[in-house]
């Protein structure tokens, strides 16, 4: 008898080598540790931290300096701050856990973000291993660990990694249910809708819509054996993809036409041409940059498309339907968000997209369904009982695609390293540190900046100045073109704007060219903003009759 042939040994830098993926995973862990140590938290994290730490007196969460989408788009109004209810319940519960344990600080949030990343990687590995084996699980986990968008999100304390946990658990329970026909799994199947509901309260999506969409889709796949039409639809991946994508598109149009004005989805009615152009940019941002390039999906694209019309498989059809629905939903949502924010802040179009281009990171939620779909195709292609003449490769069995995978990883690694060592920077942390040392309890300050994301930048002062509202400090915001001088100098009060009569401090952002031409005001502090924030000098002014603590 001839000895069984040994598997070929590949060098460590070859993407066919297990050692390559082990080293990649170690690098990913190190990058997550570094980014959560050196980066400042993001603007959205500052806003959510305020929701967590400030109560309205009745136990509800509120933004005590005013809503981030004020009635007057040029001005804040502390009296206008609707409660979130359960919209972000899950995400706020996670942030609150670490702030209660470690204190109201950005370090507490980043500690939570690091542990969340560890839990996410373990969940991805365990769920993938259950379905597709240890090698597939190890390689997908390693690839996710170095993804630049997820490293970006971890450093800024954004919820994308929690969403990967939710999606992994939900899809695992559903696919196990499909494989076993639901025998002995009624309790396990209940985990899936619970996970979807939980995920909706992480991202702030209407939980009712999310769960209903999930139930409709899964019932169709569960009952497909009872209907010939459903079989032709659900077990053909390309048909399932097209149908789910079309269904979400029609549903979006319906909500856009019927929803009240003021919501992001209603921007289709308010500026249809701008929205259409936003969809084109969103396809580039979400589907091409963050998915195909950022997630290294492009080496598998050709085989996945060519096999989708040949394979007849319920599991592959289900994953294809999930990918179609989520991709279409994300593209339309990001386009609606860009259009809505540009209208809200009266920002120049399409330059607004450059400011909010990182919204494409939402595409990382498709990491699991996309690669599980590719792994399922490989399982089918390698099945000895299969009569299909197809060739499908995946991370655990890259075949001739190993060079393309290696190239794809080499292309994203510089972006991952940039996200790791640069992280989030902001000049407002320095300005907030100065104000914290100088402002008395009960004082107000006025922040002047451009309209785009002005309220978000205002809340980047909150965690350092008055995290729980106990100092009774109020921050006001005005855009550079709001005519704020009339309010500040003359004491004029305008509708839907906060009262500036108690303002003793004014912070001028670097992009503003205005100054306080009054003998009643003096420069207290100034410095340069980091060049990655646009450079320029920020200035803090105070009333001339005040005595500074540093004097």
């Amino acid at each position: 008898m001839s000895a069984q042939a040994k598997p070929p040994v590949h060098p460590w830098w070859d993407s066919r080598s297990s050692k390559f993926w082990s080293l990649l995973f170690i690098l990913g862990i190190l990058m997550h540790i570094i980014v959560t140590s050196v980066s400042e938290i993001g603007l959205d994290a500052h806003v959510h931290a305020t929701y967590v730490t400030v109560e309205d007196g009745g136990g509800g969460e509120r933004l005590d300096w005013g809503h981030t989408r004020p009635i007057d788009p040029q001005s804040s109004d502390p009296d206008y701050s609707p409660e979130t209810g359960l919209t972000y319940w899950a995400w706020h519960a996670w942030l609150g856990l670490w702030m209660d344990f470690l204190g109201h600080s950005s370090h507490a949030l980043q500690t939570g973000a690091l542990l969340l990343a560890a839990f996410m990687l373990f969940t991805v590995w365990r769920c993938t291993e259950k379905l597709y084996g240890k090698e597939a699980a190890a390689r997908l986990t390693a690839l996710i660990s170095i993804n630049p968008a997820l490293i970006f999100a971890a450093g800024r304390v954004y919820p994308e990694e929690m969403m990967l946990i939710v999606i992994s658990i939900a899809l695992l329970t559903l696919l196990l249910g499909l494989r076993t026909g639901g025998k002995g799994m009624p309790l396990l199947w209940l985990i899936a809708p619970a996970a979807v509901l939980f995920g909706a309260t992480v991202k702030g999506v209407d939980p009712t819509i999310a769960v209903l969409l999930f139930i409709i889709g899964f019932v169709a796949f569960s009952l497909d054996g009872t209907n010939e039409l459903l079989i032709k639809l659900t077990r053909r991946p390309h048909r399932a993809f097209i149908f789910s994508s079309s269904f979400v598109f029609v549903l979006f149009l319906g909500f856009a036409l019927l929803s009240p004005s003021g919501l992001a989805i209603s921007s289709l009615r308010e500026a249809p041409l701008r929205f259409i152009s936003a969809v084109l940019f969103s396809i580039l941002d979400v589907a091409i940059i963050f998915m195909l390039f950022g997630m290294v999906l492009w080496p598998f694209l050709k085989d996945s498309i060519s096999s989708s019309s040949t394979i007849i498989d319920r599991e592959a059809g289900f994953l294809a339907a999930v990918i179609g629905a989520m991709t279409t939903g994300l593209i339309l949502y990001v386009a609606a968000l860009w259009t809505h924010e540009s209208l809200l802040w009266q920002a120049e179009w399409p330059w607004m997209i450059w400011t909010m281009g990182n919204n494409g990171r939402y595409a990382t939620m498709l990491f699991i369904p996309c690669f599980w779909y590719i792994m399922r195709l490989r399982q089918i292609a390698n099945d000895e009982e299969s009569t299909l003449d197809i060739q499908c490769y995946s991370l655990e069995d890259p075949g001739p695609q190993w060079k393309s995978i290696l190239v794809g990883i080499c292309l994203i690694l510089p972006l991952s390293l940039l996200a790791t060592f640069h992280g989030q920077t902001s000049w407002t942390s320095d300005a907030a540190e100065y104000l914290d040392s100088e402002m008395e309890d009960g004082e107000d300050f006025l922040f002047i900046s451009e309209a785009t994301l002005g309220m978000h930048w205002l809340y980047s002062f909150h965690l350092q100045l008055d995290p729980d509202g106990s100092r009774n400090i109020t921050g006001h915001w005005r855009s550079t073109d709001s005519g704020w001088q009339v309010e500040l100098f003359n004491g004029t009060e305008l509708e839907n704007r906060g009262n500036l009569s108690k303002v003793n401090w004014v912070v001028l952002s670097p992009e503003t060219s205005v100054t306080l031409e009054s003998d009643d005001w003096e420069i207290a502090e100034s410095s340069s903003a980091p060049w990655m924030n646009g450079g320029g000098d920020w200035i803090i002014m105070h009333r001339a009759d005040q005595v500074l603590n540093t004097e």
Side-chain angles (χ1 to χ4, degrees):
M1 293 179 64
S2 60
Q4 185 177 2
K6 294 183 179 180
V9 177
H10 303 290
W12 66 267
W13 49 265
D14 191 316
S15 64
R16 291 170 293 184
S17 167
S18 296
K19 184 179 291 187
F20 171 84
W21 295 97
S22 297
L23 294 172
L24 208 62
F25 179 69
I26 294 171
L27 178 61
I29 294 295
L30 291 174
M31 288 194 289
H32 272 84
I33 293 173
I34 293 170
V35 76
T36 52
S37 301
V38 304
S39 177
E40 296 183 25
I41 65 175
L43 296 182
D44 284 345
H46 278 288
V47 174
H48 287 292
T50 304
Y51 271 123
V52 171
T53 58
V54 177
E55 294 185 356
D56 61 2
E61 301 172 339
R62 67 182 296 266
L63 297 175
D64 55 340
W65 292 353
H67 199 268
T68 53
R69 292 176 176 172
I71 297 175
D72 183 340
Q74 304 292 326
S75 162
S76 66
D77 182 4
D79 293 331
Y80 175 70
S81 181
E83 289 187 19
T84 59
L86 297 177
T87 305
Y88 291 100
W89 172 83
W91 184 234
H92 290 174
W94 176 262
L95 297 181
L97 172 67
W98 294 102
M99 297 186 86
D100 289 342
F101 184 59
L102 297 176
H104 296 167
S105 68
S106 59
H107 299 296
L109 297 177
Q110 288 168 322
T111 300
L114 179 60
L115 292 175
L116 180 65
F119 185 38
M120 178 271 294
L121 293 173
F122 172 78
T123 303
V124 168
W125 176 84
R126 189 68 183 92
C127 292
T128 307
E129 187 268 341
K130 186 74 175 177
L131 294 169
Y132 304 106
K134 291 183 179 180
E135 193 63 30
R139 297 188 179 196
L140 178 58
T141 305
L143 182 61
I144 287 177
S145 73
I146 64 159
N147 179 259
L150 291 174
I151 293 172
F152 174 97
R156 289 153 180 78
V157 194
Y158 291 161
E160 276 65 41
E161 295 190 314
M162 182 173 282
M163 290 303 300
L164 275 180
I165 296 173
V166 171
I167 291 169
S168 298
I169 294 173
L171 288 180
L172 172 67
T173 56
L174 294 174
L175 293 176
L176 288 177
L178 290 176
R179 287 186 179 187
T180 62
K183 296 178 181 179
M185 297 184 57
L187 181 61
L188 189 59
W189 278 31
L190 292 177
I191 295 176
V196 173
L197 178 61
F198 185 87
T201 61
V202 170
K203 288 299 293 181
V205 179
D206 187 329
T208 305
I209 296 175
V211 173
L212 282 177
L213 280 174
F214 158 77
I215 292 175
I216 292 171
F218 187 64
V219 166
F221 278 86
S222 300
L223 301 178
D224 67 351
T226 64
N227 186 285
E228 187 66 26
L229 179 61
L230 281 178
I231 291 176
K232 292 180 179 179
L233 179 65
T234 60
R235 303 194 185 192
R236 292 283 193 176
H238 69 294
R239 292 175 182 170
F241 179 94
I242 294 171
F243 179 80
S244 66
S245 176
S246 302
F247 181 77
V248 169
F249 180 75
V250 172
L251 195 66
F252 179 90
L253 289 180
F255 277 106
L257 295 175
L258 300 175
S259 63
S261 299
L263 300 178
I265 197 171
S266 65
S267 61
L268 172 60
R269 293 197 322 267
E270 297 163 4
L273 293 180
R274 182 173 296 192
F275 175 80
I276 292 171
S277 65
V279 169
L280 299 178
F281 283 114
S282 184
I283 292 172
L284 172 65
D285 193 43
V286 174
I288 297 177
I289 296 177
F290 279 88
M291 283 184 65
L292 292 179
F293 174 74
M295 291 159 54
V296 197
L297 284 169
W298 59 269
F300 310 103
L301 185 62
K302 181 180 178 180
D303 288 341
S304 298
I305 293 176
S306 62
S307 302
S308 65
S309 59
T310 305
I311 287 174
I312 303 175
D313 181 69
R314 185 161 61 170
E315 183 175 324
F318 176 73
L319 288 169
V322 171
I323 295 168
M326 290 184 64
T327 303
T328 303
L330 285 173
I331 288 172
L332 294 174
Y333 171 74
V334 169
L337 185 64
W338 287 345
T339 307
H340 177 67
E341 296 289 352
S342 70
L343 296 173
L344 181 64
W345 305 117
Q346 301 175 6
E348 293 185 15
W349 186 264
W351 312 118
M352 172 76 177
I353 293 173
W354 179 257
T355 304
M356 300 186 67
N358 65 60
N359 290 136
R361 71 181 186 276
Y362 302 158
T364 54
M365 291 189 288
L366 284 151
F367 241 120
I368 299 303
C370 284
F371 276 98
W372 283 8
Y373 175 72
I374 293 168
M375 291 170 182
R376 180 58 181 170
L377 294 184
R378 183 204 50 94
Q379 281 185 341
I380 297 170
N382 292 353
D383 188 352
E384 294 180 357
E385 298 181 0
S386 175
T387 58
L388 297 175
D389 183 20
I390 58 172
Q391 287 290 334
C392 295
Y393 303 100
S394 59
L395 293 175
E396 71 277 23
D397 185 16
Q401 299 297 337
W402 72 270
K403 292 182 180 179
S404 299
I405 296 171
L406 182 61
V407 170
I409 291 173
C410 290
L411 288 175
I412 66 169
L413 271 179
L415 299 177
S416 301
L417 292 170
L418 177 63
T420 298
F421 290 100
H422 179 266
Q424 172 78 30
T425 59
S426 69
W427 62 269
T428 54
S429 57
D430 295 329
E433 182 179 2
Y434 178 82
L435 289 177
D436 185 45
S437 66
E438 295 290 344
M439 290 185 70
E440 303 291 337
D441 292 357
E443 282 191 303
D444 292 3
F445 75 96
L446 174 63
F447 173 56
I448 308 296
S449 73
E450 292 182 349
T452 303
L453 299 177
M455 284 299 297
H456 288 74
W457 281 105
L458 174 67
Y459 276 102
S460 65
F461 290 85
H462 199 287
L463 193 58
Q464 194 161 350
L465 274 180
D466 193 9
D468 58 5
S470 60
R471 295 187 63 188
N472 197 31
I473 290 176
T474 299
H476 300 269
W477 166 74
R478 297 291 185 273
S479 74
T480 53
D481 302 322
S482 63
W484 54 272
Q485 295 92 336
V486 175
E487 296 177 77
L488 184 64
F489 296 151
N490 302 338
T492 304
E493 293 188 38
L494 301 177
E495 187 179 5
N496 297 322
R497 294 191 176 191
N499 189 341
L500 303 184
S501 61
K502 294 173 61 178
V503 169
N504 292 325
W505 302 85
V506 176
V507 181
L508 302 174
S509 62
E511 73 270 12
T512 60
S513 58
V514 297
T515 56
L516 290 177
E517 298 178 357
S518 171
D519 295 335
D520 297 331
W521 293 86
E522 297 177 347
I523 295 178
E525 181 73 342
S526 65
S527 187
S528 297
W531 70 271
M532 286 291 285
N533 293 131
D537 294 332
W538 54 266
I539 300 173
I540 297 178
M541 304 195 73
H542 72 107
R543 292 189 183 274
D545 56 1
Q546 280 187 297
V547 178
L548 301 181
N549 294 332
T550 54
E551 291 182 346

